[in-house]
Amino acid sequence: MEAVPDQFMEFHPIHGTNVQLDYSATQATRVESFANGVCFSKQPLKPGEIFLVEIEDKELGWCGHLRIGLTARDPRDLEVVPEYSIPDLTDLGDSWVFAITRNHNKVAEEVENVQEPGDGLLGGQRLGRGEVENQDDAISKPKTFFTDSHLHIGNVRIPRDKLVGRSRPGRFSHILDDLYKTNALPPTARRSRIGVLYVQKGPDLGDMHIIINGEDMGASARGIPTIEPLYAVVDVFAATKCVRIVQVEYGFSSLQTLCRKSIQKHIVHRMAIDWLELPEALKRFCKYE
């Protein structure tokens, strides 16, 4: 697949009434209530281009978490931004949104019911719901997918480096790093990274995939029409209070990224970065990214 041109991702200026964007339009915070937190990408996504966010802050006392997906509806054409992405936005049609839960995010596919592109699936087929939170669905087996430097979805290649969430620097951050490497921490935790993209599956159809901390959750919706532009949808809902867009490099790594990788390779854990004689900005970048 052709390399996806690097596009600086921002949130659309049209969003839910309880959302406040920062000056760069890359951080969205729900300032009131638990609803009216629907946000969109400023530009439509290209095939294979991921819209990736990191959970920056949470709010206790609410039930439910971040929701993410795609919509073929141009935010500028909405008379009013729906209060909820599910079911308000999805009921309008041409929108496919998935609720992120603590454990149950893998899509359960029934092969005999899956239609291939060209079978008349004009509106797209939603394969998983993801609303049920069941502790029995938690997968305790350590994952080995971090041995590959890239995530492969069909012919799409995405660098894993930016896809994986990292713990906040702190007293036990070196222990939490090991947990993140096995994707053992909940997808809804702070610093968790969640993204959405679609891959082309024919001239005018595509499959939507949700990525959580570097792991592909499977095709959440198949046969999505790709004739119209597709925008990312991020619903800063309930217990999720603030998210930040993470910019993904598809080409060669920047000098800043190469420096960070080199520094992290030669330290015991991230707390040791504070002992190095480096500019504070570089130290912060090495600890957070």
Side-chain angles (χ1 to χ4, degrees):
M1 187 193 79
E2 274 183 35
V4 178
D6 288 337
Q7 174 178 241
F8 187 78
M9 295 291 186
E10 299 175 71
F11 286 113
H12 203 287
I14 295 174
H15 49 69
T17 55
N18 285 337
V19 170
Q20 180 176 309
L21 301 182
D22 72 344
Y23 68 94
S24 68
T26 61
Q27 186 181 70
T29 304
R30 194 187 69 256
V31 294
E32 286 184 45
S33 182
F34 61 92
N36 285 301
V38 177
C39 303
F40 307 94
S41 59
K42 185 175 182 180
Q43 303 294 336
L45 300 185
K46 302 178 181 68
E49 185 175 42
I50 189 170
F51 192 83
L52 182 67
V53 297
E54 179 178 286
I55 297 176
E56 287 277 289
D57 197 10
K58 299 184 68 177
E59 186 169 13
L60 299 177
W62 298 116
C63 180
H65 302 281
L66 182 79
R67 297 166 172 185
I68 194 167
L70 298 172
T71 182
R73 294 184 171 270
D74 190 325
R76 295 170 297 181
D77 296 336
L78 294 172
E79 292 184 10
V80 61
V81 177
E83 184 176 5
Y84 305 100
S85 59
I86 305 173
D88 297 4
L89 179 62
T90 53
D91 282 352
L92 295 176
D94 298 326
S95 298
W96 305 267
V97 182
F98 203 99
I100 303 301
T101 65
R102 287 191 291 268
N103 296 303
H104 187 73
N105 297 288
K106 277 284 192 179
V107 175
E109 299 188 30
E110 296 182 10
V111 177
E112 63 273 15
N113 292 331
V114 174
Q115 292 176 271
E116 294 299 325
D119 287 348
L121 190 62
L122 298 180
Q125 179 185 20
R126 184 184 173 89
L127 297 181
R129 295 198 61 81
E131 286 84 352
V132 179
E133 297 187 13
N134 188 338
Q135 295 295 337
D136 295 335
D137 291 325
I139 300 174
S140 58
K141 182 180 178 181
K143 310 294 191 303
T144 58
F145 49 79
F146 285 98
T147 56
D148 193 347
S149 62
H150 286 74
L151 175 66
H152 299 268
I153 304 174
N155 61 349
V156 173
R157 240 172 129 256
I158 308 173
R160 281 195 195 277
D161 186 53
K162 285 294 185 75
L163 300 180
V164 183
R166 294 174 63 81
S167 60
R168 291 184 183 276
R171 185 175 179 183
F172 302 107
S173 63
H174 58 293
I175 299 174
L176 293 178
D177 282 347
D178 291 334
L179 293 175
Y180 271 112
K181 288 175 183 176
T182 59
N183 202 29
L185 290 186
T188 57
R190 289 184 179 87
R191 311 301 287 179
S192 185
R193 294 186 175 185
I194 301 169
V196 64
L197 73 153
Y198 72 94
V199 293
Q200 207 72 40
K201 289 293 183 178
D204 301 319
L205 296 175
D207 292 353
M208 182 181 83
H209 287 251
I210 291 175
I211 313 301
I212 300 179
N213 287 327
E215 183 181 7
D216 177 19
M217 296 294 111
S220 302
R222 285 187 172 174
I224 294 176
T226 58
I227 300 174
E228 298 295 328
L230 292 172
Y231 294 81
V233 179
V234 176
D235 191 351
V236 189
F237 176 71
T240 302
K241 184 171 180 65
C242 178
V243 297
R244 174 180 64 88
I245 297 174
V246 179
Q247 309 296 334
V248 178
E249 300 168 338
Y250 293 88
F252 294 105
S253 298
S254 65
L255 180 59
Q256 189 180 39
T257 298
L258 292 173
C259 288
R260 173 177 56 77
K261 287 182 178 180
S262 179
I263 291 170
Q264 291 176 344
K265 183 179 178 181
H266 293 90
I267 58 173
V268 179
H269 56 77
R270 280 184 294 151
M271 294 305 294
I273 292 175
D274 289 328
W275 308 336
L276 303 177
E277 294 184 4
L278 295 172
E280 287 302 318
L282 182 56
K283 289 183 181 180
R284 181 179 177 82
F285 179 72
C286 291
K287 287 192 288 187
Y288 276 85
E289 294 294 330

